[in-house]
Amino acid sequence: MNQTEPIRPSQRVPAPEPLTFYGETVGSRLLLGTALYPSPHVMSEAVRASGAEIVTVSLRREQARGRTGQRFLDLIRALSVRLLPNTAGCRTAREAVTTAEMARELLDTDWIKLEVIANDDTLQPDVFGLAEAAEELVKRGFKVFPYMTEDLSLADRLIAAGCRVLMPWGAPIGTGRGLQNPHALKTLRAYYPDVPIVVDAGIGAPSHAAQALEMGCDAVLLNTAVARAQDPVRMAAAFAGAIAAGRSAYEAGLIPPSDRAQPSTPVAGTPFFDLGPTGPGPKPR
Amino acid sequence: MADTRNRTTDRVREITVNGRLTRTAAQTLAELLVEQDLGEGRVATAINGDFVAERARAGKLLRDGDTVEILSVRQGG
């Protein structure tokens, strides 16, 4: 190889492997929520800065004579992103299934981020209702993205029901506490190497997202950490960078942690082997 | 089971629409949407917790005590 030939960017940073959800390939490993931004304009700019190709939306009551939903839909359609409607706020499988049907008709998509919430304080998934709803929705032709705890037995149920994406929480929604149970996420990764795993909720900092990607999770879904940042647009870009770095690191292969220090500088050829800090050290016997 | 109450077409019904108690002369879900000035809007509907598709609204009779949800797309996480 000619040593003077410049290295092209494509050689320096290989393109990340593509990510596929239900047969649809996406270029970004960040899925972004659309709530809690200081303004619709900031939301739009944050989505653009994030590079996200999938954004989440919800269904809420329309007011009489209102056009709120249509205005929001026009705004979000202008971003040319794929919409992933959620069932946020649903407390039973029945509520979630009905909401999913309503979302499918409104948005003409069979993708659904399935949330069945068990507890007002923790907003933790109701794993029983979740499994029940997932089974019914798959029967009805939905492609389910289940917001779940990181429990392996639940993952087994959801996969058996026909889910082909797993979305374990990192921490409770909106807490920004990062990955509370990395070991369980690794377990899910090990048991389901071919199912996309999206860490959904609890991500507070780009470093949390990078950690998820470094350990082999395929993507992250977040909202509050960007929307509530002092500068959401800049934070969106920061997350995009961290996620790209985390994925590259995973593909590059991280070294395993070690309990024992290992010198990085070669030991052979070290001068003054027999001198301690204050002078000649103990002589070899 | 035939519900004879639905055959009465000229009286006001008391139903709940998006959480608010509402008196309506609308006989069907489609008529209710027009009455609420949502006939042209992009909304999805459910009655008593069951999804009602857009194409079924004109044939969906309202009954006293029905709980109607009319939803549209919003910000979400």
Side-chain angles (χ1 to χ4, degrees):
Chain A
M1 185 180 161
N2 183 348
Q3 293 293 314
T4 60
E5 189 178 314
I7 297 172
R8 291 191 299 275
S10 63
Q11 290 173 299
R12 289 202 299 264
V13 184
E17 292 170 13
L19 173 60
T20 301
F21 296 122
Y22 292 103
E24 302 276 338
T25 299
V26 292
S28 169
R29 291 171 180 272
L30 172 56
L31 290 73
L32 195 60
T34 56
L36 304 174
Y37 292 86
S39 73
H41 174 71
V42 171
M43 185 272 289
S44 297
E45 290 303 305
V47 170
R48 289 194 183 97
S50 75
E53 296 175 12
I54 299 169
V55 302
T56 52
V57 296
S58 72
L59 264 59
R60 288 293 179 263
R61 287 170 168 169
E62 183 63 287
Q63 299 305 311
R65 283 165 279 283
R67 293 289 180 270
T68 314
Q70 188 61 56
R71 281 198 298 274
F72 177 66
L73 200 52
D74 291 343
L75 180 76
I76 208 106
R77 292 273 194 223
L79 296 170
S80 299
V81 289
R82 179 144 194 159
L83 301 185
L84 175 59
N86 68 28
T87 64
C90 290
R91 304 184 165 280
T92 64
R94 182 168 182 241
E95 286 178 10
V97 169
T98 298
T99 304
E101 292 277 13
M102 296 169 92
R104 178 159 66 178
E105 183 180 77
L106 266 180
L107 295 169
D108 199 25
T109 178
D110 49 15
W111 283 17
I112 190 73
K113 177 187 164 183
L114 179 58
E115 296 184 38
V116 184
I117 299 300
N119 181 293
D120 281 342
D121 294 321
T122 64
L123 297 179
Q124 67 190 90
D126 173 352
V127 298
F128 307 101
L130 181 69
E132 182 187 344
E135 285 163 6
E136 181 59 31
L137 287 169
V138 170
K139 281 182 201 158
R140 297 184 185 205
F142 284 91
K143 298 184 169 72
V144 177
F145 293 64
Y147 164 62
M148 56 185 286
T149 60
E150 69 278 45
D151 186 87
L152 179 60
S153 65
L154 174 61
D156 292 341
R157 278 283 300 274
L158 293 168
I159 295 290
C163 295
R164 292 297 175 263
V165 178
L166 297 173
M167 300 218 297
W169 63 350
I173 296 171
T175 61
R177 301 179 70 83
L179 309 185
Q180 299 296 287
N181 194 349
H183 175 73
L185 295 174
K186 285 179 186 170
T187 303
L188 286 184
R189 177 76 293 166
Y191 269 80
Y192 291 108
D194 300 323
V195 176
I197 293 176
V198 182
V199 174
D200 176 12
I203 301 284
S207 55
H208 301 155
Q211 184 192 4
L213 274 288
E214 284 170 5
M215 69 169 62
C217 297
D218 295 282
V220 296
L221 196 168
L222 57 94
N223 188 342
T224 310
V226 167
R228 289 291 198 223
Q230 288 186 24
D231 183 342
V233 180
R234 198 163 177 183
M235 188 61 82
F239 269 102
I243 287 163
R247 180 63 193 183
S248 285
Y250 172 71
E251 292 180 13
L254 293 156
I255 63 164
S258 167
D259 287 337
R260 185 172 172 169
Q262 311 263 1
S264 49
T265 302
V267 174
T270 306
F272 317 123
F273 244 160
D274 55 349
L275 297 178
T278 55
K283 298 286 184 269
R285 277 182 279 178
Chain B
M1 191 173 75
D3 187 341
T4 52
R5 285 180 300 171
N6 287 334
R7 305 298 175 223
T8 309
T9 57
D10 57 352
R11 67 182 179 85
V12 171
R13 287 166 177 73
E14 200 165 85
I15 61 175
T16 302
V17 181
N18 283 351
R20 304 179 87 167
L21 205 58
T22 303
R23 290 169 63 80
T24 178
Q27 309 300 317
T28 66
L29 181 55
E31 287 174 23
L32 179 70
L33 289 181
V34 172
E35 188 185 87
Q36 300 273 319
D37 198 17
L38 288 169
E40 304 296 315
R42 289 279 291 162
V43 295
T45 51
I47 295 184
N48 302 329
D50 292 324
F51 170 60
V52 180
E54 185 174 6
R55 63 181 179 280
R57 288 177 196 155
K60 188 68 183 175
L61 296 169
L62 297 174
R63 300 187 299 184
D64 273 317
D66 275 348
T67 297
V68 180
E69 294 289 340
I70 306 170
L71 308 187
S72 65
V73 180
R74 287 289 194 290
Q75 297 85 346

